[in-house]
Amino acid sequence: MNYLEINNVSKTYDTKKVLNDISIKVPQQSIYGLLGPNGAGKTTLIRILNQITMPDSGQVLLDGKPLSPNDIANIGYLPEERGLYKKMKVGEQAIYLAQLKGMDKKEADKRLRHWFMKFGIASWWDKKVEELSKGMQQKVQFIVTVIHEPKLLIFDEPFSGFDPINVNLLKQEILELRDKGATILFSTHNMASVEELCDNIMLINKGEKILEGSVKDIKQQYKNHSYDVVYKPFDGGEEIHQTVNSMNPNDVIREIIDKGELVSFNEILPSINDIFINLVSSSNKS
Amino acid sequence: MKIGIIIEREYLTRVKKRSFLLITFLAPIFFAALMFLPAILMLNSEKFDEKKTIAVRDESTLFVGKFKDTDVNTFVYIDNDLADAKNLVREGVYDGVLYIPGTSLNLPVNAEIYSMKQIPMTLTEYINSTMKTVIEHKKLLASGIDPAIVKAANTSIYVQSIRMSEDENVEKKSFGEFEFLLGIVLAMVIYFVIFLFGNQVMRGVIEEKTNRIIEVIISSVKPFELMMGKIIGIALVGLTQFLLWAILTTGIYFAVSAFLPVQEVFSTGTAMTEQIMETAANTDSNEVLTKAFDIIHSINFKTVLWCFLFYFIGGYFLYSAMFAAVGSAVDNETDTQQFVTPISLLLIIPMVCSTIIANAPDSSISLWLSMIPFTSPVAMMLRIPFGVPNWQVVTSVALLFVTFIIFTWLASKIYRTGILMYGKKVSWKEIFKWIKY
């Protein structure tokens, strides 16, 4: 079942078409990657989902129903450009933001303290935000994004500004949230994390959808039938590494076992990064 | 309601600030000091003066016995010559020597006073006025005029201006100077308050934008709610400040009254005023009191207070909506100038015209400025103490409120687009385009 469906959404600013007839389906309890170069229209699409911007045409369905103001409580949004009030105390501020999402003050306080413990920042509750390091501020922002336990989470470049340890922590949290039932929309330029986390992806460029599907299928679709072969020749030389292009892997193997002892044989699948660069540069040319 | 949560935050973060507490509590002390200090100083002024003994060397012999001793000053007439007298001053026998040269033909109009330390102003003034009286007296006598006649002929005229109304029985005394002053003070307060709090709204919007917290917030509430929450929250901060000022000033007034002999302080003050009045206008003290009473009764303070509240709210909302729009359009405070200047000019116009309005509160320029919503809050404050026909007040307030609703709506459209625009120097043209989005 699809938790989020975007049907034929278009948006034009002045004369510039920022989004052109975009449709996507995000299955419930999956992680969906929204990829595209800068200025592709990702942020506009995300703002439409958050009802910050209205689409010129098209429709957004959440849980099968058109998006309505009540859905604010069902969505958690971590924008790319994010910040906090510098002069306000951390705990106070987190409660304020949770209240704006429609949470009760007491409940927000309780859950926040739990999350602060979990992230090891409980002692910062009464500190002013300006006293926190950037990484800690990012943690606070992550917490306020998920505090109201939304069914749809939207992360725009969630890992920027985090050190590798915290990136890992965050990845674990994101996977855990999905396992608990959340549907996650994830926009990033970090292709490694896309391969690691996303079930499905969409690639947009200049407001047009140029690719959509599951990460596995896309890799299969764009593979160029090359194989990494390692074998030890019978004449007793060093191990030989070879990259072979062939439509018929059985023939390759047959050839090799005549020459020596096969050590390993692996299909080389293109990385999402390669696919991204190829598709975007070819779509920019046309 | 989410707007309630926003109002609460905007209000509490400002009220809890150290600067707010400081201004709120220090200002009444300052007001109270302004009220009491002159009176206290006046009462104690003699304590600050050192006792002085002045030698008088009067060669003209016209002023013998004319300088009277007071609590602080003693006058001693001497016959020594000037050089001798100066030496006595040096030796510390006298604090100073007043030398009035003898003249053969004319009456003396100059005198010199020698001293080691500076002679207090009050003393030179006393000598001056005493000499003046004596000389004038002599001159009158020389011209064959009895000084008593001159004194009797000295008159002061007071023109009482009385405002009539349709009702024969309702007539109101009016006192131009007082109403003028009250109007100017009220207009200044409205002007500063609109500027001060309007600026706070603008700074708040810029803060949210540069903090980049804005996108998180508007994914939870409508931009309009955020803008209005901020405007209302800051308005409440302003009203709280007024209220606390009023309470604290009154409190301090009564507290000080209890500890200080205020009765004495003020009676000295009144006595002095009476004295001045008496010499200047020959009015007796009863008349002075009646006049003060009349002034207070001639002004409808209830109307003034209500009007102040309405025009503060209306003017503040109108301008703060514009300031919010400006704040949303820029990236930092230094870029605000080109937008703030024209807005400020609108507010400054009635300030520039304030004397014209207060001089002729019923003239057509006063009427127009108090009707146009951008100038009416300040202009009407200048007119209100003189009494303004009800229909004018009602029309003006209605116009102001309709305009502020329209402008808030327009501002929210600009705001909605502006808060998400970064790194772009915007022009007026661009801003007007946002209204259409």
Side-chain angles (χ1 to χ4, degrees):
Chain A
M1 208 209 124
N2 296 321
Y3 185 71
L4 171 70
E5 260 182 59
I6 297 174
N7 296 325
N8 312 97
V9 162
S10 295
K11 177 80 190 176
T12 307
Y13 284 121
D14 281 336
T15 52
K16 197 182 165 218
K17 233 179 164 97
V18 186
L19 289 175
N20 189 12
D21 200 26
I22 298 287
S23 300
I24 61 172
K25 287 179 171 48
V26 182
Q28 184 146 18
Q29 218 175 335
S30 73
I31 301 181
Y32 194 99
L34 199 56
L35 314 183
N38 292 326
K42 290 173 301 193
T43 304
T44 306
L45 187 62
I46 287 173
R47 282 182 182 161
I48 286 172
L49 296 181
N50 280 297
Q51 304 175 70
I52 293 170
T53 311
M54 293 301 135
D56 296 337
S57 63
Q59 196 188 29
V60 178
L61 297 178
L62 201 69
D63 209 6
K65 292 181 288 285
L67 204 58
S68 81
N70 293 333
D71 286 322
I72 282 170
N74 293 325
I75 300 177
Y77 174 37
L78 183 69
E80 182 178 8
E81 297 288 0
R82 50 187 178 252
L84 296 163
Y85 290 112
K86 291 201 167 47
K87 303 272 177 205
M88 216 175 161
K89 283 180 186 164
V90 179
E92 223 173 276
Q93 179 154 204
I95 289 176
Y96 172 65
L97 293 171
Q99 277 182 299
L100 288 186
K101 280 287 181 190
M103 277 187 81
D104 171 66
K105 200 171 181 172
K106 257 194 186 150
E107 179 66 17
D109 186 275
K110 208 177 92 191
R111 277 199 225 167
L112 280 166
R113 286 188 190 271
H114 173 76
W115 272 98
F116 271 54
M117 290 283 280
K118 193 172 176 186
F119 273 34
I121 51 173
S123 57
W124 295 88
W125 184 270
D126 275 324
K127 290 268 191 330
K128 278 186 182 167
V129 169
E130 57 189 352
E131 297 172 59
L132 266 60
S133 72
K134 186 132 189 273
M136 272 195 256
Q137 291 189 30
Q138 300 265 37
K139 281 185 184 174
V140 176
Q141 279 154 356
F142 180 82
I143 292 171
V144 297
T145 308
V146 301
I147 193 67
H148 55 295
E149 296 177 354
K151 295 196 190 88
L152 176 66
L153 279 160
I154 302 170
F155 295 120
D156 198 351
E157 291 293 350
F159 305 125
S160 69
F162 277 105
D163 60 45
I165 294 168
N166 283 322
V167 167
N168 231 3
L169 175 75
L170 220 60
K171 278 180 185 165
Q172 294 312 312
E173 287 302 330
I174 289 173
L175 290 173
E176 200 177 307
L177 284 165
R178 183 201 48 192
D179 296 340
K180 279 185 189 159
T183 307
I184 294 160
L185 195 70
F186 181 38
S187 159
T188 184
H189 288 131
N190 182 340
M191 295 302 155
S193 62
V194 171
E195 298 209 17
E196 200 176 333
L197 297 174
C198 293
D199 302 307
N200 300 292
I201 58 166
M202 175 184 74
L203 179 58
I204 59 172
N205 189 30
K206 295 177 179 167
E208 307 265 0
K209 180 163 83 180
I210 54 178
L211 180 69
E212 188 191 13
S214 81
V215 173
K216 228 196 307 176
D217 292 348
I218 287 171
K219 286 190 156 203
Q220 285 299 326
Q221 192 187 331
Y222 284 89
K223 68 179 178 186
N224 46 8
H225 306 281
S226 52
Y227 301 89
D228 182 44
V229 186
V230 181
Y231 66 92
K232 218 170 188 166
F234 290 129
D235 50 19
E238 290 278 300
E239 261 182 22
I240 294 176
H241 288 254
Q242 225 177 344
T243 307
V244 188
N245 279 313
S246 169
M247 291 304 285
N248 198 339
N250 281 0
D251 291 346
V252 177
I253 292 172
R254 234 170 263 135
E255 219 172 282
I256 286 168
I257 51 180
D258 290 340
K259 286 193 252 176
E261 194 185 329
L262 186 60
V263 176
S264 71
F265 183 86
N266 288 307
E267 185 175 20
I268 302 174
L269 284 175
S271 69
I272 293 291
N273 197 36
D274 296 336
I275 299 170
F276 178 97
I277 291 170
N278 277 331
L279 284 175
V280 170
S281 45
S282 67
S283 95
N284 280 349
K285 267 177 225 147
S286 60
Chain B
M1 267 305 269
K2 283 181 183 169
I3 194 165
I5 302 169
I6 295 168
I7 293 171
E8 188 189 324
R9 192 202 84 89
E10 296 294 338
Y11 179 79
L12 286 179
T13 50
R14 284 186 174 75
V15 169
K16 281 195 273 183
K17 259 192 203 156
R18 216 168 287 145
S19 57
F20 175 85
L21 294 175
L22 217 64
I23 292 174
T24 306
F25 290 98
L26 283 186
I29 294 173
F30 181 70
F31 294 152
L34 275 185
M35 287 197 302
F36 286 108
L37 223 56
I40 292 170
L41 284 180
M42 212 187 294
L43 187 69
N44 296 316
S45 65
E46 279 158 14
K47 287 180 196 154
F48 297 123
D49 288 344
E50 282 174 52
K51 287 202 186 307
K52 293 222 184 287
T53 313
I54 304 295
V56 183
R57 172 73 188 102
D58 179 16
E59 287 180 359
S60 68
T61 66
L62 287 169
F63 304 99
V64 179
K66 295 291 182 194
F67 297 110
K68 301 274 190 282
D69 293 352
T70 64
D71 289 347
V72 279
N73 300 319
T74 318
F75 294 95
V76 180
Y77 289 85
I78 53 167
D79 289 327
N80 312 37
D81 65 20
L82 186 57
D84 225 25
K86 280 190 195 170
N87 276 331
L88 287 173
V89 172
R90 272 191 206 99
E91 282 161 23
V93 181
Y94 303 118
D95 294 299
V97 54
L98 172 65
Y99 172 65
I100 302 166
T103 46
S104 45
L105 288 171
N106 301 317
L107 291 162
V109 287
N110 293 314
E112 282 157 349
I113 184 156
Y114 297 92
S115 65
M116 301 294 282
K117 284 194 223 155
Q118 182 60 43
I119 294 291
M121 202 94 97
T122 43
L123 180 56
T124 41
E125 264 162 29
Y126 172 70
I127 293 168
N128 190 317
S129 71
T130 311
M131 285 180 68
K132 194 176 165 221
T133 320
V134 172
I135 301 290
E136 277 174 359
H137 197 88
K138 285 265 187 280
K139 280 185 176 168
L140 287 172
L141 283 178
S143 321
I145 299 164
D146 185 355
I149 295 172
V150 175
K151 198 179 177 190
N154 195 349
T155 334
S156 99
I157 306 294
Y158 179 71
V159 181
Q160 173 71 63
S161 136
I162 293 160
R163 294 270 295 266
M164 303 192 307
S165 70
E166 301 297 321
D167 186 346
E168 263 179 57
N169 299 318
V170 179
E171 287 184 345
K172 225 176 66 183
K173 289 185 182 175
S174 98
F175 302 85
E177 312 90 329
F178 182 74
E179 284 143 357
F180 186 94
L181 225 71
L182 182 65
I184 298 268
V185 169
L186 287 172
M188 292 264 269
V189 171
I190 281 254
Y191 170 81
F192 278 117
V193 162
I194 289 177
F195 241 121
L196 214 69
F197 291 104
N199 245 297
Q200 285 216 30
V201 171
M202 186 174 77
R203 286 219 306 274
V205 173
I206 294 174
E207 187 203 359
E208 275 163 0
K209 212 180 151 180
T210 48
N211 268 348
R212 312 268 167 157
I213 197 174
I214 190 78
E215 200 161 345
V216 175
I217 293 178
I218 58 169
S219 69
S220 310
V221 298
K222 291 200 189 77
F224 181 74
E225 285 178 288
L226 178 61
M227 186 180 98
M228 283 319 285
K230 189 176 286 296
I231 291 175
I232 294 168
I234 293 174
L236 292 176
V237 173
L239 291 174
T240 309
Q241 195 151 51
F242 292 151
L243 196 71
L244 284 175
W245 276 348
I247 293 170
L248 286 171
T249 311
T250 335
I252 291 173
Y253 175 83
F254 281 111
V256 174
S257 312
F259 286 109
L260 280 178
V262 179
Q263 222 42 49
E264 205 182 321
V265 169
F266 280 105
S267 58
T268 350
T270 337
M272 289 203 45
T273 336
E274 274 173 40
Q275 243 172 8
I276 295 161
M277 289 262 192
E278 219 164 328
T279 42
N282 265 340
T283 42
D284 67 49
S285 58
N286 261 340
E287 227 170 293
V288 174
L289 274 180
T290 337
K291 194 178 164 192
F293 219 62
D294 276 354
I295 289 173
I296 289 165
H297 276 260
S298 73
I299 289 170
N300 191 340
F301 281 100
K302 221 163 135 191
T303 317
V304 169
L305 217 67
W306 276 113
C307 282
F308 180 83
L309 209 64
F310 275 130
Y311 282 99
F312 163 65
I313 292 170
Y316 163 79
F317 272 84
L318 176 59
Y319 277 95
S320 58
M322 291 196 272
F323 278 121
V326 169
S328 76
V330 299
D331 280 350
N332 54 61
E333 262 175 75
T334 45
D335 292 341
T336 57
Q337 217 45 49
Q338 60 159 326
F339 301 112
V340 170
T341 312
I343 295 172
S344 315
L345 278 176
L346 286 176
L347 199 55
I348 290 168
I349 292 170
M351 277 319 278
V352 173
C353 301
S354 61
T355 41
I356 303 174
I357 297 169
N359 254 325
D362 292 324
S363 64
S364 62
I365 183 169
S366 306
L367 178 65
W368 280 109
L369 286 176
S370 62
M371 284 296 156
I372 298 167
F374 300 101
T375 55
S376 68
V378 172
M380 198 54 113
M381 278 304 114
L382 291 161
R383 296 183 60 202
I384 281 291
F386 294 95
V388 176
N390 283 338
W391 71 266
Q392 288 186 12
V393 177
V394 172
T395 318
S396 156
V397 168
L399 275 174
L400 179 62
F401 276 65
V402 168
T403 315
F404 104 58
I405 288 166
I406 294 171
F407 265 74
T408 310
W409 179 72
L410 289 176
S412 77
K413 298 211 135 204
I414 294 169
Y415 179 83
R416 209 177 54 186
T417 309
I419 43 177
L420 293 171
M421 290 274 176
Y422 286 106
K424 202 169 159 190
K425 286 249 188 227
V426 291
S427 59
W428 278 103
K429 209 177 125 199
E430 187 118 14
I431 285 187
F432 286 123
K433 217 165 64 189
W434 293 350
I435 292 173
K436 286 181 280 176
Y437 278 166

